[in-house]
Amino acid sequence: AGAVKDDVFLQYESRGLRSLATSMPLSDHLFVAGNRLPAEKVRRLQALLQQLHQSPGGSQILNTLTRGVTALLPVQDSDYDSLRAVLTRMKDLGVSY
């Protein structure tokens, strides 16, 4: 048994890969900036990335990240609560990661 992303599962399902369980959706594709980057530049980059879906060719760029991505949104710490819950449950079950 193991864990794979939906895309990987769909790629190998026809070869016999079976799903035993599915986790709740987990956030991915996080963009971060180093603390040496000026705050104004970070704010400008955030704005540009969040507006990308509205620009010509923006949908194509977003689809290179993951098929079906329609926009980028600001991240909140709470976006990772479901991942923390999965990791806590794994630890409770004695799974090392």
Side-chain angles (χ1 to χ4, degrees):
V4 296
K5 293 179 73 165
D6 291 340
D7 291 348
V8 174
F9 173 77
L10 293 173
Q11 181 179 355
Y12 289 95
E13 184 178 21
S14 65
R15 296 184 187 179
L17 188 62
R18 293 185 313 141
S19 175
L20 302 176
T22 303
S23 71
M24 69 287 289
L26 302 171
S27 296
D28 60 359
H29 290 354
L30 178 66
F31 292 89
V32 297
N35 61 1
R36 291 190 220 165
L37 198 59
E40 181 53 36
K41 189 169 278 196
V42 171
R43 281 191 288 277
R44 183 70 181 132
L45 286 168
Q46 286 173 328
L48 289 169
L49 288 169
Q50 290 172 30
Q51 296 167 8
L52 184 59
H53 68 283
Q54 299 169 346
S55 68
S59 294
Q60 184 178 359
I61 293 168
L62 290 169
N63 269 293
T64 63
L65 296 173
T66 297
R67 187 176 54 247
V69 170
T70 57
L72 298 175
L73 302 171
V75 67
Q76 304 294 323
D77 184 68
S78 61
D79 292 339
Y80 293 90
D81 288 348
S82 58
L83 178 58
R84 288 183 190 101
V86 168
L87 294 174
T88 298
R89 181 70 177 133
M90 288 174 59
K91 183 177 179 182
D92 292 346
L93 292 171
V95 177
S96 299
Y97 49 89

